[in-house]
Structures are given as C-alpha cells and as structure tokens.
Amino acid sequence: MESSLCRRIAGTSLLSFGLLLSACGEKAQNDMVAAQAPETTSSSTCSGTYPSYWQDPAAKFSNMWKGQEISNVPPADWQGPVFRISDKYPRQPVDDRAAQPWRDARFDALFRTDTPAAQKKQLAYDYSWLVMKYIQDGNVNRPGVEDWDVCNNNVRPWYSIPFQTYDAMSGREFTHGLTREAPVTFSTPQGAINTTMWAVGFFNATAAYTLGTVWQADGTAKIPAKDVSFDEGAVVGKPLFNTSTPEQLPVLANQPAWNANISDPSFCKCTPAKGNECTLIEESQQCPRSTTEWNDVRLLQFDFAVKDSRAPGTQWVFGTFVADGQRKAKEADPWLRISLLGVMWGNDTPPDGKLAHNYPLDVKKNGFMEEVIFWDTVNELNKYGGANPMQHMGHLGCNYRLNGPADNANSSCMSCHGTASVPDSNFDTPPLLSQFSGITKECVTPDPENPLVGVDRSGSKATVNNGVSFANIDSIYFANVPAAAPFNMTVETDNGPVNVMGNGVPDYASGRKSWISLDYSLQLSISLTQWMQWQENSDDPALERINFKELRRGVKEN
C-alpha cells in the first residue's frame, strides 16, 4: 500500500452594533468602527475546482461516490441554498493587518503574566469580539444573499477548505457545506439526549494562501514534506450547529437555524456486512441524508483561531462563543445572540511530573495564566443541565481549560488542535485525544491507593499502558506546541524513552521520524487524510471502497 500511495501523491456587516460597542472600551469602539472600511473583491472566489459537497455532480470527481445511494444532491424542486466551495486561493501572501484591530499594541498586555486579571478579562473580551466582527463582516445579513455564502464577499474574501467530501456519513452536505462531527450527549432535566454537531469552517485570505500551497489550482494536493506554517494574521472562523431543539436546550432559542441535508440527529452508525468498517456504499445506504425528515440544525458554538506571534509558546489564539438565545433574545441580529465562553493561547502546562486534572489550583478563584474563562457564560449553559455534570453544556475541558459544548471534557481547544499533522503512509496522525486510542488516557485522576489506575474527567476508567504514566501523557497533550513544530509523542519513562504510538510511527516515505506539523489546522489534516484515502482507493471497485480513517474531533460517549 505504501508504494502505491507514494506513486499517486508524488506529483501531485453587522446589523446591530450598539450592544457590542457598549460592552467595549473607547479604544475598542474606535477600532471596530475603523475596521468597517470595506475592501472589495474583483471576482468570485468559487472556482468549482474541487467538489463542493459529497456527491457534487458538477465536480470532476464523480467516481468518488460511484455506486452510493443518491442522498446528497439537491432535488429537482429544491428552492433553498446550494453550497459552493470557495477555493480560488491566493497564490501570494496576504497581510490584512489594516483590517485587524486586535493587532493593536494595547492587546500586548493580554499575553503578559503580570497583567491584572480584570484587565486581562477585558482585553480578552475586546479581542474576541473584534475577531468575531471581522469574521462576520460581509458574510451575514446581506439582502438577497444567503448567510455564509462567501463566494462574493464585498468586504474581504473568505475561503473553504477542500476535500471534506469523501465519506458518505460525514462528508459535506449540499445546502451549507456542513460536515458531521462527533456525537454529543447532553444531560438535561428531562434526561440525556443524544445529538450531533454539524460545522463549517472559513479561512481569511492570509490563511487561504497557506491552504493554496497544499491545494493546487489544478485540483490536486501537494502533500507537505516539511512543517507548514500559517502567516501572522491568519484567521479561521467555524460556526457549529447542533441537532437539538430549543425545547431540549433552551440556549438555542432565537438562534440562527438551517434546514440542512443531515443524517440521523442522534449520530447514525453503520454496521458492516463484513470486516470492521462499512463500505462507502453501506454508509450511504444505512445513513441517508434528508432536509425534511429531521429538525433544523441550530447555532450552538462559534470557534475562532488567530495566528498571533505575541502568544508565548504557541503563537496562536483560540476562542469560543456559545449560543445565548434567551439572555440575548432582544438582540436584532441573530448572529450576535452569542456570548464569549473563553479565549486561550496556551494550555497552562503542568510542571514535570504533575497532572493536568488539578493544575493550576482552584482556577475558578485564581484563574489561568494562559487563558480567560467567562464564568457567567459557563453558569448560563449549566443552568439547563441534568444529573451528569460532565454532560452539561458548560462542562469545559480538563480542569476547566477552554472547550465548548461540542468538545471533549478531557481536553482543550489547543490540546486537540496541536496534534494537527500530515498523515503518514498508513494514514496515521496523532490521536486528537489519547482517549481515542489504546494509549494511556489524559486528564486522569489516579486512584490514591494505586497510581496505575484512575478515572478521567468523564468518569471512565483509565490505566497506565506501556509504562507511560498519566503525568507522561498529560505532558504531551497539555504542552504548548510552538507554531509549526512537530507534535511530540515520545516521553521519558523509568525504562527510557517511549514512543507512545509505537516504534516506527510516523511512517513517512521520506524516512522522516517526526510528525510533519500542520500548525494547529485540524481541518487541513482531515482534508489531506480524505484526499490520500481517495487516491489509495480510486482504483478499487466501488463496492469495496471504505473510509477507514475517519477523523472527527469532539466528544465520544461511552
């Protein structure tokens, strides 16, 4: 398989601004107003080079879904939106600094350890809302244009990432380009509800330039052989939608809702006729899509990421907004009925030999050094929780590190995204969480009587595997991975250095021994995984093709 794979890839503006301004300082208000000066784009950024959605009949990749049930093509009488991928990537670097007021020197203090907590909280708030406005400008509330149809943004160009289209269950749906993420179980007063997240990401021109070094104008991928680095000012925005109703999760009241072509809201599973994995045809048959059988999906979470060299240790800033539909019911603009959950630029790494589950100490009182959590937002989310606290919407991550309702309680935004790597010859990448593999679990509270066993934050049992202690694994996943640096999977144990993924991993054709970094871009890692699978499977009979390395972040429920 390795030689076959190597042959194939070798050549290859906001309506309601008053509430926002009133919550920010005078300088932030001036910055926001100044940032409204429009830029123009000369032509559509949607070229049609790559398939826009799973089963896209207009693309040149029709063999990708050969034999599959037709369940993701607009029906003849469809009157709603049809997603187009924005893939005309800049071929020269783009610096949009003039439109990015969060790069002002006043925000330098956000990243200093001696900044008072109250000042840091205000700076985090202002920074995050400036980024959110930048992302939304020209993408929502345009007369006669569907929200987040980014092909012809008259403020600044935005782009999609290609090739999240290969697998039938998670591939992009045709209405808004949403991909299916992980199942999430929420604990409510009425009991547990099983839900699914559907999401779509957008990249500004600075970030899209880097995408264009991988995704070529001829519709092929150039697999990176060296670590990838996004440029300063790269911005990624990602709205995430949930399959629940406002009756189930009241924060979803008054939120933007989309009639999307999704599969079972509780997360459809496929049973293979033989082997361990369904074929793509079995997936399409057992997990059909529909715009009428299921409820609409509603905005629950909105993530952003910004490349910012002032962030010590990582050079990235991650933030999460969440639905706040009841408290913000009077806000005229539905896309502003969200509240900031938190912002982080580091993992508050435990000292050597210490554990992440209780470091730092008493963060609700003392706070973090490398992130800010907005506890009033957390409390609003948790008001609607049931008997299981780790399934409340405001569960956050390990020891309350930043993670949204859609994410895993054992991790953090940066802990997951730091794993982003080029798949190796076996399509392997570092696990997003160690819980997703057979290695020692992260964020574990050890048993006081036996340090080799314990429970993670969800209450699942954990054991030390292969001599890799709980502190060892926390030192990997809660390290501050520098931008464009390989993700480390080797630790020092009593028996010497151990590669927790096993000897010989990664297995790159070049012989490189360290992971090739994709600089915190999990979407780029996912898209490359699917592209490489397509290349490997393209000669196989359609009946036998499988998507055997599905990669999705989020919460896995037991």
Side-chain angles (χ1 to χ4, degrees):
M1 180 176 72
E2 178 180 343
S3 60
S4 172
L5 174 63
C6 293
R7 279 199 312 272
R8 288 169 178 158
I9 67 177
T12 62
S13 61
L14 296 174
L15 290 181
S16 180
F17 215 30
L19 288 178
L20 178 56
L21 292 178
S22 66
C24 302
E26 180 179 352
K27 181 66 169 66
Q29 295 181 37
N30 293 337
D31 286 341
M32 291 182 187
V33 173
Q36 293 182 78
E39 304 167 14
T40 59
T41 55
S42 58
S43 61
S44 174
T45 54
C46 295
S47 70
T49 302
Y50 292 93
S52 288
Y53 49 86
W54 175 59
Q55 296 185 321
D56 181 356
K60 58 184 179 182
F61 300 93
S62 59
N63 282 338
M64 191 190 310
W65 44 80
K66 186 176 181 180
Q68 297 178 40
E69 293 282 326
I70 303 299
S71 64
N72 193 39
V73 175
D77 59 350
W78 177 252
Q79 300 295 314
V82 177
F83 176 75
R84 295 177 295 162
I85 185 172
S86 178
D87 57 359
K88 195 174 181 180
Y89 306 115
R91 299 301 168 182
Q92 298 295 327
V94 179
D95 188 353
D96 202 23
R97 185 186 186 101
Q100 297 180 334
W102 62 85
R103 294 169 71 172
D104 186 273
R106 84 179 183 93
F107 289 103
D108 294 358
L110 175 61
F111 308 104
R112 292 202 302 261
T113 58
D114 60 348
T115 302
Q119 181 185 358
K120 187 169 287 192
K121 181 179 180 180
Q122 186 64 51
L123 289 170
Y125 183 93
D126 294 351
Y127 186 108
S128 300
W129 274 111
L130 288 168
V131 173
M132 180 57 66
K133 182 187 183 300
Y134 177 88
I135 295 170
Q136 292 193 17
D137 270 351
N139 284 326
V140 297
N141 304 315
R142 295 169 293 176
V145 181
E146 186 72 21
D147 289 340
W148 303 105
D149 178 351
V150 302
C151 292
N152 293 285
N153 186 313
N154 63 1
V155 177
R156 62 184 62 91
W158 287 88
Y159 301 85
S160 320
I161 199 164
F163 241 81
Q164 293 192 332
T165 49
Y166 186 45
D167 57 299
M169 290 196 293
S170 294
R172 278 196 171 111
E173 51 86 43
F174 73 79
T175 72
H176 294 87
L178 296 169
T179 58
R180 188 187 76 158
E181 299 211 349
V184 183
T185 298
F186 290 118
S187 176
T188 76
Q190 292 74 39
I193 56 170
N194 297 319
T195 77
T196 302
M197 302 301 302
W198 291 78
V200 60
F202 303 101
F203 298 73
N204 75 343
T206 305
Y209 163 71
T210 301
L211 297 184
T213 65
V214 175
W215 296 102
Q216 307 298 296
D218 64 357
T220 62
K222 183 178 181 181
I223 310 298
K226 298 180 180 180
D227 299 320
V228 171
S229 180
F230 285 84
D231 292 339
E232 186 85 356
V235 178
V236 186
K238 185 180 181 182
L240 297 97
F241 296 78
N242 189 258
T243 55
S244 303
T245 67
E247 290 71 31
Q248 295 170 314
L249 302 180
V251 296
L252 295 178
N254 309 305
Q255 289 299 296
W258 283 348
N259 175 220
N261 195 43
I262 65 168
S263 53
D264 190 335
S266 64
F267 199 79
C268 178
K269 296 179 181 179
C270 183
T271 302
K274 60 180 180 179
N276 296 321
E277 300 289 342
C278 282
T279 67
L280 298 181
I281 291 176
E282 287 175 325
E283 288 185 355
S284 69
Q285 292 172 336
Q286 295 185 36
C287 296
R289 307 286 189 94
S290 176
T291 60
T292 58
E293 187 173 353
W294 322 115
N295 292 315
D296 293 347
V297 294
R298 289 172 171 81
L299 182 69
L300 175 60
Q301 185 170 320
F302 202 131
D303 294 343
F304 71 80
V306 176
K307 188 68 174 286
D308 192 329
S309 60
R310 296 171 296 183
T314 66
Q315 295 82 56
W316 280 94
V317 178
F318 279 70
T320 295
F321 289 81
V322 292
D324 203 353
Q326 290 195 321
R327 291 196 301 179
K328 295 194 172 183
K330 294 182 180 180
E331 167 58 57
D333 182 353
W335 295 99
L336 290 182
R337 295 173 193 151
I338 54 177
S339 290
L340 183 59
L341 181 65
V343 59
M344 71 184 308
W345 54 95
N347 274 304
D348 284 86
T349 306
D352 289 346
K354 301 297 183 181
L355 294 161
H357 83 93
N358 61 358
Y359 181 87
L361 293 174
D362 197 359
V363 294
K364 288 187 177 182
K365 176 182 177 182
N366 301 325
F368 291 96
M369 296 298 293
E370 297 174 330
E371 56 193 295
V372 176
I373 301 298
F374 288 80
W375 297 105
D376 64 315
T377 304
V378 175
N379 293 337
E380 180 67 14
L381 291 173
N382 288 338
K383 274 172 50 177
Y384 310 105
N388 187 342
M390 288 303 102
Q391 292 179 348
H392 290 183
M393 288 180 286
H395 58 65
L396 294 170
C398 183
N399 196 30
Y400 302 105
R401 290 169 173 85
L402 181 62
N403 246 1
D407 307 318
N408 196 288
N410 292 295
S411 187
S412 76
C413 298
M414 302 200 83
S415 174
C416 278
H417 282 262
T419 65
S421 304
V422 175
D424 71 0
S425 299
N426 299 309
F427 310 123
D428 283 330
T429 55
L432 306 184
L433 290 92
S434 59
Q435 271 81 348
F436 289 5
S437 64
I439 64 180
T440 302
K441 291 182 178 182
E442 65 196 82
C443 196
V444 170
T445 302
D447 186 329
E449 304 297 324
N450 182 359
L452 300 182
V453 299
V455 293
D456 69 12
R457 195 157 179 259
S458 71
S460 297
K461 293 180 180 180
T463 60
V464 169
N465 298 324
N466 197 27
V468 178
S469 69
F470 298 125
N472 283 152
I473 208 74
D474 284 352
S475 74
I476 290 177
Y477 277 93
F478 297 101
N480 286 340
V481 181
F487 190 73
N488 171 55
M489 293 298 287
T490 298
V491 296
E492 290 292 335
T493 71
D494 292 340
N495 298 318
V498 172
N499 180 343
V500 301
M501 293 187 71
N503 294 330
V505 182
D507 180 16
Y508 289 118
S510 66
R512 173 168 162 151
K513 302 302 182 183
S514 62
W515 290 102
I516 301 173
S517 172
L518 291 176
D519 199 9
Y520 283 84
S521 181
L522 282 179
Q523 287 192 314
L524 186 51
S525 184
I526 291 168
S527 64
L528 283 173
T529 299
Q530 294 200 3
W531 168 263
M532 292 166 70
Q533 289 180 14
W534 164 236
Q535 297 302 295
E536 179 67 15
N537 290 345
S538 58
D539 292 341
D540 296 341
L543 288 172
E544 299 176 8
R545 292 179 191 161
I546 60 174
N547 182 45
F548 51 89
K549 283 284 184 181
E550 183 176 35
L551 179 61
R552 289 290 179 266
R553 65 162 207 166
V555 176
K556 278 194 172 181
E557 299 297 341
N558 294 323

